[in-house]
Short mmCIF file of all heavy atoms in Angstrom, two decimals:
data_model
loop_
_atom_site.label_atom_id
_atom_site.label_comp_id
_atom_site.label_asym_id
_atom_site.label_seq_id
_atom_site.Cartn_x
_atom_site.Cartn_y
_atom_site.Cartn_z
N VAL A 1426 9.46 -11.49 0.02
CA VAL A 1426 8.97 -11.35 1.42
C VAL A 1426 9.59 -12.54 2.16
O VAL A 1426 9.56 -13.67 1.80
CB VAL A 1426 7.43 -11.51 1.44
CG1 VAL A 1426 6.84 -11.36 2.83
CG2 VAL A 1426 6.71 -10.55 0.48
N ASP A 1464 19.77 -24.80 13.75
CA ASP A 1464 19.64 -25.88 14.77
C ASP A 1464 18.59 -26.84 14.30
O ASP A 1464 17.81 -26.58 13.40
CB ASP A 1464 19.26 -25.25 16.22
CG ASP A 1464 17.93 -24.64 16.21
OD1 ASP A 1464 17.43 -24.14 15.10
OD2 ASP A 1464 17.33 -24.62 17.25
N GLU A 1710 -22.25 26.76 13.08
CA GLU A 1710 -22.42 27.75 14.10
C GLU A 1710 -23.87 28.16 14.32
O GLU A 1710 -24.36 28.50 15.39
CB GLU A 1710 -21.51 28.98 13.84
CG GLU A 1710 -20.04 28.70 14.01
CD GLU A 1710 -19.26 29.86 13.60
OE1 GLU A 1710 -19.86 30.89 13.23
OE2 GLU A 1710 -18.02 29.79 13.68
#
Side-chain angles (χ1 to χ4, degrees):
V1426 186
D1464 66 334
E1710 291 173 0

